[in-house]
Amino acid sequence: MHQHKNKSRTERQSGKADYDIVALGIATAAIILFVGTGGSLMPRIVSSWMTGTYSPDILLSNALLLNIALLIFGWRRYNDLNKEVCERRWAEQQAQELAKIDPLTGCFNRRAGLPAIDRMLSEAAESGDTVAVMVLDLDNFKQVNDFNGHQFGDRVLEGVAWRVSSVIPAGSIAIRMGGDEFACAMNYAAEAESRVEAIATKLIDEVRKPIVHEGVEATVSTSLGIATTADSKADTAALNAEALLHRADIAMYQAKKRGRNRHCWFTPAMETEFRLRNELEGAIRRGITLGEFVPYYEQQIDIATGELVGFEMLARWKSPDYGLVSPDVFIPVAEESELIADLSESLIHQALIDAKDWAPHLTLSVSISPVQLRDPWFAQKLLHMLVETGFPPSRLGIEITESSLHENIAAVRMMTTSLKNQGIRISLDDFGTGYASLAQLRNLPITAEGIEAPEALEALKCFGKLNGQGSLYGRPEDAATTRERLAEAGLAQPASAANEAPIAGRLAS
């Protein structure tokens, strides 16, 4: 079908070209005939019109008139062809320009942006200037899209692009790399790094300002990475646009890691760390598939009575390459690479199975990542796991961090309401980090973590009913060790009772 269309188009173009050649031939022949006949016949016709004494040959006169008509036709066709060529050139030029520009923001697209930076680098090498490349990634743009719609998200991208273009100096290059990531490049004198620093700071401040569309207001921040040709003094000539953007991208990820809404300059050490981080991400991805992540359990104690009330499930990675890995190492990478949902769900599912062996009054608490709280289907996924494993929802507690409340209280409220309606307990984790308001603290029970000394325990008792956990009560242990400890204390159910699932039907209803 496609080939047939191309063939038809080619045939039409070929026929049009043949027609143009015929028209040009006719016009040329008309000029020759006009010169041949008009030279002798024209004076006689004029004399006949003036004196009326001569009657020109009718056939020759008709031939002359035909020649004149052909000349007019040829001239008009020449003008048409000339106009068509000009319009075609203009259309081709417009198409070439549009191929370089991102239609939403008006910035260069990636395909055209990289060659533009390479040209800037070539010119800077001749003039002795330095080139700085910045990569900007919006920190919470996905939330803007999820809660306000993609049309509003497009307006945000347009606003960010306009602010970036208004801040960078004249002659700079602005690029939309894709999605919510932008880049820009600029020349500066080798000793004027403070100017680049000031531009980066202003970019962050400008992007942070609220964007309003149809009465709805949103605020996004940006993490920004900077790389310059001065970073490679030994081999500046080999540093092209792709390499500079890669370095600025690495620096941008460092800015995100350090808290977002800030900028970082590239250093060579970052590249080594970035490579190790990518290797770690690959190992995490494989580890989830191979079941290398296992739940550990930390005791939770009623601070007022000192009684064991349950356990918090903590993630551990038994890696064949890295050994037993702490969650402080792999959780941030799993969140950044969007692996956290698969990782967490597999651990929760296993923990629900493990906890069915415990005494009926012992609860299981699991901490939920802020990334998971942004998933509108998380509550349904969790309820499905409860039904599948037959674990009572009244024995399950979800711990959310204070930072989650600060990030999106509306989404958290919607999620927690849905879970609480099913009988699941919601508590506040990382108490004391400074994000939660007093009103939020009144609405949610609190778990106090990291209790290591008796003095800390005594100080917490004045806060009322609290659950506590920490090294004062023991270290986290794997499922088998936890089961043995509970069995010795008479707090483990017989295997047959644990395998029953009477709750499943009631939960499903």
Side-chain angles (χ1 to χ4, degrees), residues 186-493:
M186 63 201 72
N187 280 323
Y188 70 100
E191 66 279 0
E193 283 192 356
S194 59
R195 181 167 175 259
V196 178
E197 182 87 13
I199 292 171
T201 300
K202 189 172 182 181
L203 279 171
I204 291 171
D205 291 342
E206 288 296 316
V207 171
R208 181 71 178 173
K209 292 179 179 178
I211 294 176
V212 180
H213 174 66
E214 295 182 350
V216 179
E217 181 179 301
T219 301
V220 295
S221 61
T222 186
S223 298
L224 187 153
I226 312 169
T228 76
T229 50
D231 297 330
S232 293
K233 297 181 176 66
D235 192 17
T236 304
L239 201 61
N240 59 13
E242 191 74 50
L244 269 178
L245 284 167
H246 173 67
R247 292 181 175 188
D249 202 50
I250 291 173
M252 180 271 293
Y253 276 109
Q254 282 292 324
K256 283 187 177 293
K257 186 177 178 180
R258 296 176 186 178
R260 304 184 177 188
N261 192 38
R262 65 190 64 210
H263 69 272
C264 283
W265 289 78
F266 171 81
T267 63
M270 290 180 184
E271 194 155 22
T272 302
E273 183 179 343
F274 184 76
R275 184 174 64 253
L276 293 174
R277 185 256 181 218
N278 281 348
E279 292 175 0
L280 189 62
E281 178 184 333
I284 292 172
R285 197 179 297 276
R286 291 189 299 273
I288 294 173
T289 304
L290 297 174
E292 295 172 4
F293 292 89
V294 295
Y296 268 49
Y297 300 99
E298 184 174 19
Q299 297 180 65
Q300 290 186 327
I301 306 297
D302 185 324
I303 288 179
T305 65
E307 294 181 359
L308 176 68
V309 294
F311 294 85
E312 180 184 6
M313 186 271 287
L314 303 174
R316 293 294 185 268
W317 181 15
K318 291 186 175 180
S319 168
D321 299 319
Y322 306 109
L324 187 63
V325 184
S326 165
D328 294 340
V329 174
F330 63 82
I331 290 295
V333 177
E335 288 181 336
E336 291 171 11
S337 55
E338 299 184 351
L339 296 170
I340 190 64
D342 291 340
L343 172 59
S344 178
E345 288 165 22
S346 66
L347 288 170
I348 291 173
H349 189 275
Q350 182 58 49
L352 293 175
I353 295 173
D354 292 341
K356 285 175 64 177
D357 275 350
W358 305 343
H361 72 279
L362 295 179
T363 61
L364 170 68
S365 295
V366 294
S367 293
I368 301 302
S369 163
V371 176
Q372 291 175 279
L373 285 176
R374 294 198 292 267
D375 178 4
W377 297 104
F378 173 73
Q380 285 75 11
K381 293 176 183 177
L382 185 59
L383 293 173
H384 176 76
M385 285 190 279
L386 288 169
V387 171
E388 187 177 20
T389 60
F391 190 83
S394 60
R395 290 180 58 196
L396 179 64
I398 299 297
E399 296 188 356
I400 58 177
T401 62
E402 286 191 62
S403 58
S404 298
L405 294 176
H406 179 70
E407 185 174 337
N408 199 323
I409 184 61
V412 173
R413 185 181 292 115
M414 185 183 303
M415 180 78 68
T416 56
T417 299
S418 176
L419 295 175
K420 288 169 73 174
N421 287 340
Q422 297 293 334
I424 297 171
R425 296 173 297 102
I426 309 296
S427 60
L428 196 63
D429 197 4
D430 291 345
F431 169 61
T433 53
Y435 287 104
S437 68
L438 290 176
Q440 291 160 357
L441 295 181
R442 284 197 299 268
N443 291 332
L444 294 173
I446 299 163
T447 300
E449 296 184 344
I451 303 175
E452 300 179 359
E455 295 80 8
L457 177 61
E458 291 301 318
L460 286 169
K461 287 182 178 179
C462 66
F463 283 95
K465 185 173 177 56
L466 288 176
N467 288 342
Q469 61 192 76
S471 60
L472 183 65
Y473 302 114
R475 309 297 299 177
E477 297 172 329
D478 62 21
T481 306
T482 301
R483 176 74 168 75
E484 291 174 4
R485 177 187 296 276
L486 291 175
E488 291 175 0
L491 296 175
Q493 298 185 71

Side-chain angles (χ1 to χ4, degrees), residues 23-39:
L24 182 61
I26 292 173
T28 304
I31 292 172
I32 295 173
L33 287 172
F34 181 79
V35 173
T37 59

Side-chain angles (χ1 to χ4, degrees), residues 94-113 153-155 157-159 161-162 174-179 181-182:
Q94 287 294 106
Q96 291 175 357
E97 290 298 319
L98 289 173
K100 300 177 182 178
I101 301 300
D102 173 60
L104 178 64
T105 63
C107 300
F108 276 124
N109 57 30
R110 182 184 179 90
R111 182 179 179 182
D154 286 347
R155 303 292 81 77
L157 292 174
E158 288 175 342
W162 184 87
I175 309 167
R176 184 186 177 196
M177 301 296 288
E181 187 173 82
F182 295 83

